[in-house]
Amino acid sequence: MTHEISGARGLRVSKVRLIRDGGEFDEYEFASGMLNILHGVRNSSKSTTLRVIDYCLGDRDNATKALGAAVADAYVAVSTELRIDGVPYELSRSWSYGRMGKVSVNGEDLSAADFSDWILGALGWPNVHIPLGLNPSTAAELTPLSFRNTLRHFHRNEESWISFAHKEQEFVRRAVISQLLGFARPRATEAQSQFVLAQAKRRLAEAQAVDREVQQSTVQAVTAICDSMNLPLVRSTAHVADARREVEAALDAVRHRRQDLTNQIRVTHSASTDSQTPAGYDPSLTTLYSQVTRDLRQATDQVTALEHLHEEHVRSANTVNGEIGRMERLITSVGIFDALPVRLCPACEQDIDPARHHADTACYVCYQDVDDDKRQRRAQVEIRSLKSELDDLDDVVSHTLTDLTAVRAMQEDLQAKQVDLAHQLNAERTAQLAPFVAALEELAGQVARLEHKLTAFPAIEAIFQRRDQAREALKAAEQAVDALDNEASAPLVAGAKPTDRCSAFADRMNGFLAEFRGDPWVDHDVSIRDSDLTFYVGTRPWDQALGAEAKVLFFLAYSYATLFLEHDLDDECAFPGLLLLDNPYQQGIDENVVRRVLRTLAQAASETGTQVISTQALTPPADPKTIRVLSMPRAYAAP
C-alpha cells in the first residue's frame, strides 16, 4: 500500500535499479507514506541499496569506495527514480570512462557541485555560504552549505548512530540544524556579515600597519636622498615637481654657457687658421707634418712591398734547393736499381729470363746498346743548372734585404719626425686652448652633477607614490568598515522565532522519547539552545549526559522529529520528507525497543505522507498498513 501525495514537499524514492553490463538489472520499488524495510541476511545488499540512493544524490567518491568492490564489479551503473516536491526525476550514475564523477538528471550530466546547486533549488532549500569555522570573525573563508551536508542528517548510516553525522565539524552541524529548522538564511546572512566585517577590519589593520611603516620610511628615504644629492628637502609630489624645474633650469643655463664657450673656441681656431701670422702659432708645422705623414705612408708601402718580394725570393730559393736534393738522390738511386733484373715485360707481361745470352753493352730486354753513365750525367747537368739559378736567387735576396733595411730605417726616422711634430702641434694647440680648458671642465662637472640630481627625482616620486597608495588603501579600508558598520542588521527569520522553532523540534523529540523513559531513555527532556543549537538532556549537553544505547535512541528521536518539520513549522524549514536508516539495531539496544521505534516511525510516515527506508537482518515488525518489507533476493560473498 502506498500513500503517494501529489505535490508533497521533500524527497520520495520510487525505485532503485542496479544495471549489469549486459543490460540486465536488479530493481527495488519503495512506497511513500510508510516504512520500507529491506530485509535479508548479511551481505545481501541491504546497506548497498541505501548507498545507491546516497550515491545517486551526489556522492563524490568513486563507485568502488561508495558502493564496495563487489557491487562495482557486478554492475556498470545504478539509478534512482524519485520525486522532488512531487515532480518525478531519474538520477543515474555510471562508472564508465568519462562519467564517473557525473550525476545524470533525466539524461543531463551534472558535476557534484552543480548537482548540489540544482537539487537545493529543486527542493527550495537555502543555498547559502557559511564561515569556515565556529567564529565568523576569525574564519579564513566562506564555504557552501551543500545538499550533502543536510543529507547526512536524514541518512543515518552505520557510522553515525552516536553522532549527528560521521566526521562532521561543529560549524557545519549548526548550519544544518538551522537549515532544517528554517532560519538558515538569516543566520547565514548574519554570519556572512560578521565574516565580511571581520575581513574588512583585518584589511584595515593591515592598511594601518602599512601606512605607518610607509609614512616613517618615506621621511627617512627622502631625507637621505636629498642630503646625498644636495637637494632641498621635499615633502610631497608637488615639491618634487618644483625642485625638478629648478634643477632643469640650472642645467639649461650651464649647457647654454658651455655652448657659448664652444663657439668662442671655434672662432679662435678659425681666426688662427685664416691669419698669416697669428700669435704663438707656426703654420709651417702643419705643412711639414703633412709632408712627413705622406713620406711615412710611402715608406710603409715600400717596406710592405719589399717584405713580400723578399719572402717570394726566399721561397724560390728553397724550391731550387729542394730540386737539387732530389737530383742528388736520383744519382744515388741509379746504381741501386741497375742491379735489379727485369723479370716481366712491361708491355706484353711475358716472362723475361735475365740469365739468357746478351751482349754486355746491350739491354737484356730489347738488346739495344746501353751507356751506363748516361742517366747520371743528365742528372749532374740538371744540378749544375739549378745551382746557377740558386746563386742568382741568393744575389736577388741579398739586394732585396739591403733595400728593405734601408727603407725600414727611413720609416723609423719618419715616424720619429711625425711624433715630434705631433708633440709640437699639440703643445701649440694646448697653449691656444688653455684659457678655455678649465672653464669647460668646470661646466662639464656642473652638467654631470645636475644630471645626477635629476636621476633622484623619479625615485623620490616612486616613494611618494607608494605613500599615497598606502594612504588611499587605508581610506578605502576605513570606508569599507564604516559602510559595513552602518548596514542594517540581518532581517529576522520569517514566521516563528528561532527559540520557538527549537522548542517545537525538541517537543517532538520529547514526545517520541516519552514512551521510553526510564529504560532505555533517561528521565530528562531534550532542549535546544537557539544561540549555538546545542542539544541538552536535562542540564547537560546530550553527548555528556547519554550513554551509547541512549544516544541511539536520541538520534532515532531526532530522525522522528524531522518527519514532522513541515507539520510543526513552515515552508522556511528544509523538509527532507525522507528518512534512511541503516541497521538501527545498534550499540546493544534491545530488539523489542527497535521494533517499537520502527512502528512509531511507520505511523509517523503514514500520518505525514513521508517515507522511511530501513535495513535490518532480524525479523521485521509486521503492520501491512504502514510497513512494507522487501526481501533481498541474493547474498554476496563477504569481501
Side-chain angles (χ1 to χ4, degrees):
M1 176 179 179
T2 63
H3 298 269
E4 191 70 57
I5 301 176
S6 176
R9 284 187 63 199
L11 294 160
R12 307 292 188 278
V13 176
S14 303
K15 188 181 299 183
V16 171
R17 183 178 292 132
L18 294 86
I19 306 167
R20 293 186 178 83
D21 190 18
E24 302 86 358
F25 56 85
D26 296 336
E27 186 175 86
Y28 308 100
E29 295 186 2
F30 300 94
S32 296
M34 61 193 316
L35 167 64
N36 300 264
I37 296 180
L38 300 171
H39 177 251
V41 298
R42 182 176 176 81
N43 294 321
S44 58
S45 290
K46 303 184 300 298
S47 297
T48 296
T49 303
L50 295 189
R51 286 197 291 267
V52 167
I53 298 173
D54 184 89
Y55 190 51
C56 289
L57 289 172
D59 189 346
R60 299 192 182 194
D61 288 332
N62 56 46
T64 300
K65 189 172 181 180
L67 304 176
V71 176
D73 293 340
Y75 302 96
V76 296
V78 293
S79 67
T80 299
E81 293 181 10
L82 49 76
R83 291 180 177 274
I84 300 177
D85 288 357
V87 180
Y89 294 94
E90 182 179 2
L91 310 181
S92 62
R93 300 291 297 269
S94 170
W95 35 100
S96 61
Y97 180 76
R99 299 188 63 198
M100 293 183 185
K102 305 289 186 180
V103 180
S104 177
V105 180
N106 291 344
E108 180 181 355
D109 287 344
L110 298 177
S111 66
D114 292 339
F115 175 79
S116 178
D117 293 339
W118 171 83
I119 196 168
L120 287 173
L123 287 165
W125 294 1
N127 190 355
V128 297
H129 286 68
I130 58 176
L132 192 65
L134 286 175
N135 188 351
S137 300
T138 59
E141 59 180 305
L142 296 174
T143 185
L145 180 62
S146 69
F147 166 75
R148 293 197 61 79
N149 292 138
T150 308
L151 173 63
R152 294 189 184 100
H153 281 243
F154 59 89
H155 175 195
R156 194 151 301 282
N157 58 36
E158 290 189 323
E159 296 174 331
S160 62
W161 276 104
I162 57 173
S163 62
F164 279 91
H166 183 56
K167 295 182 180 180
E168 182 180 54
Q169 293 178 300
E170 177 64 15
F171 71 91
V172 176
R173 185 197 68 83
R174 294 181 184 181
V176 171
I177 300 298
S178 67
Q179 185 181 57
L180 290 172
L181 298 185
F183 50 90
R185 298 181 203 271
R187 283 285 172 93
T189 302
E190 180 183 1
Q192 289 178 17
S193 299
Q194 294 176 8
F195 170 80
V196 172
L197 179 59
Q199 291 285 85
K201 288 182 177 179
R202 283 194 286 270
R203 286 193 292 269
L204 175 59
E206 293 172 359
Q208 289 172 340
V210 170
D211 183 68
R212 286 193 300 271
E213 187 275 330
V214 168
Q215 295 297 330
Q216 183 178 2
S217 62
T218 296
V219 174
Q220 294 174 349
V222 172
T223 301
I225 293 173
C226 292
D227 290 344
S228 63
M229 295 291 186
N230 196 22
L231 291 170
L233 184 61
V234 292
R235 301 290 185 181
S236 65
T237 305
H239 291 165
V240 173
D242 294 338
R244 177 188 277 115
R245 284 193 291 270
E246 292 179 3
V247 173
E248 289 176 344
L251 181 60
D252 290 339
V254 172
R255 286 173 175 169
H256 183 70
R257 289 199 302 273
R258 186 175 64 178
Q259 183 64 37
D260 291 343
L261 190 58
T262 303
N263 292 335
Q264 292 179 22
I265 294 172
R266 189 180 298 109
V267 170
T268 301
H269 180 69
S270 176
S272 299
T273 304
D274 296 339
S275 176
Q276 295 296 325
T277 56
Y281 179 71
D282 185 2
S284 63
L285 286 175
T286 303
T287 304
L288 183 58
Y289 182 82
S290 300
Q291 181 62 41
V292 169
T293 301
R294 286 194 297 271
D295 294 343
L296 178 60
R297 188 180 303 110
Q298 292 175 0
T300 301
D301 293 340
Q302 290 178 4
V303 168
T304 303
L306 287 173
E307 286 177 346
H308 181 69
L309 184 61
H310 177 265
E311 290 175 358
E312 292 296 326
H313 289 326
V314 170
R315 188 179 298 108
S316 298
N318 292 335
T319 302
V320 172
N321 277 323
E323 289 294 323
I324 291 172
R326 187 173 64 83
M327 289 298 174
E328 290 175 347
R329 289 192 299 274
L330 178 62
I331 292 172
T332 304
S333 65
V334 168
I336 296 173
F337 289 105
D338 278 346
L340 297 176
V342 177
R343 299 184 182 277
L344 189 69
C345 177
C348 65
E349 297 184 355
Q350 296 182 33
D351 291 335
I352 299 173
D353 184 7
R356 65 181 174 173
H357 176 75
H358 62 281
D360 293 337
T361 60
C363 174
Y364 62 80
V365 178
C366 61
Y367 301 106
Q368 296 184 24
D369 291 337
V370 176
D371 186 355
D372 292 338
D373 297 328
K374 184 181 292 183
R375 286 172 294 179
Q376 293 182 2
R377 288 199 303 274
R378 177 60 183 167
Q380 290 171 352
V381 170
E382 290 291 333
I383 289 173
R384 285 195 295 274
S385 175
L386 290 171
K387 286 184 176 180
S388 175
E389 182 179 351
L390 182 60
D391 292 339
D392 294 339
L393 286 172
D394 289 340
D395 290 340
V396 172
V397 169
S398 177
H399 290 311
T400 302
L401 188 58
T402 301
D403 293 342
L404 179 59
T405 302
V407 173
R408 282 177 175 170
M410 183 176 65
Q411 181 188 34
E412 293 175 357
D413 182 61
L414 289 172
Q415 286 177 341
K417 288 183 179 179
Q418 186 187 44
V419 170
D420 183 62
L421 290 172
H423 285 317
Q424 294 182 41
L425 285 170
N426 287 336
E428 290 191 358
R429 289 173 180 172
T430 301
Q432 280 186 320
L433 298 177
F436 304 100
V437 171
L440 284 174
E441 290 179 349
E442 176 60 26
L443 292 175
Q446 293 181 19
V447 169
R449 288 191 294 272
L450 292 172
E451 288 178 343
H452 187 52
K453 288 182 178 181
L454 285 177
T455 61
F457 292 121
I460 296 175
E461 287 178 336
I463 293 172
F464 281 131
Q465 184 178 10
R466 180 170 175 263
R467 183 192 67 178
D468 295 341
Q469 289 174 347
R471 183 53 55 86
E472 291 176 1
L474 176 60
K475 291 180 179 179
E478 290 174 344
Q479 292 173 358
V481 171
D482 292 341
L484 291 171
D485 284 335
N486 294 330
E487 283 184 358
S489 59
L492 296 176
V493 62
K497 297 179 180 179
T499 54
D500 297 335
R501 293 172 181 272
C502 291
S503 296
F505 193 82
D507 289 343
R508 185 61 68 174
M509 290 181 65
N510 290 323
F512 173 89
L513 294 168
E515 183 181 351
F516 306 97
R517 285 182 181 274
D519 187 23
W521 183 248
V522 296
D523 194 18
H524 297 290
D525 286 339
V526 174
S527 61
I528 307 173
R529 187 167 62 188
D530 68 295
S531 59
D532 58 2
L533 297 173
T534 299
F535 284 66
Y536 285 86
V537 176
T539 59
R540 300 171 61 191
W542 70 276
D543 53 343
Q544 299 177 19
L546 301 177
E549 183 181 356
K551 286 180 180 178
V552 175
L553 201 59
F554 172 86
F555 283 109
L556 286 170
Y558 177 85
S559 301
Y560 172 84
T562 62
L563 299 177
F564 289 89
L565 284 173
E566 184 182 32
H567 179 273
D568 294 340
L569 299 175
D570 51 29
D571 290 346
E572 285 296 314
C573 67
F575 177 55
L578 172 67
L579 186 58
L580 305 176
L581 304 176
D582 190 6
N583 187 21
Y585 295 87
Q586 289 284 330
Q587 308 299 322
I589 192 169
D590 186 80
E591 297 178 13
N592 293 323
V593 172
V594 177
R595 288 192 180 94
R596 289 162 58 193
V597 167
L598 292 176
R599 290 192 183 95
T600 302
L601 290 173
Q603 186 61 38
S606 177
E607 292 176 8
T608 58
T610 55
Q611 184 183 55
V612 181
I613 303 175
S614 178
T615 67
Q616 63 183 78
L618 301 177
T619 303
D623 187 351
K625 294 183 178 180
T626 60
I627 299 177
R628 182 169 182 262
V629 179
L630 289 81
S631 297
M632 306 307 290
R634 64 167 51 85
Y636 293 90

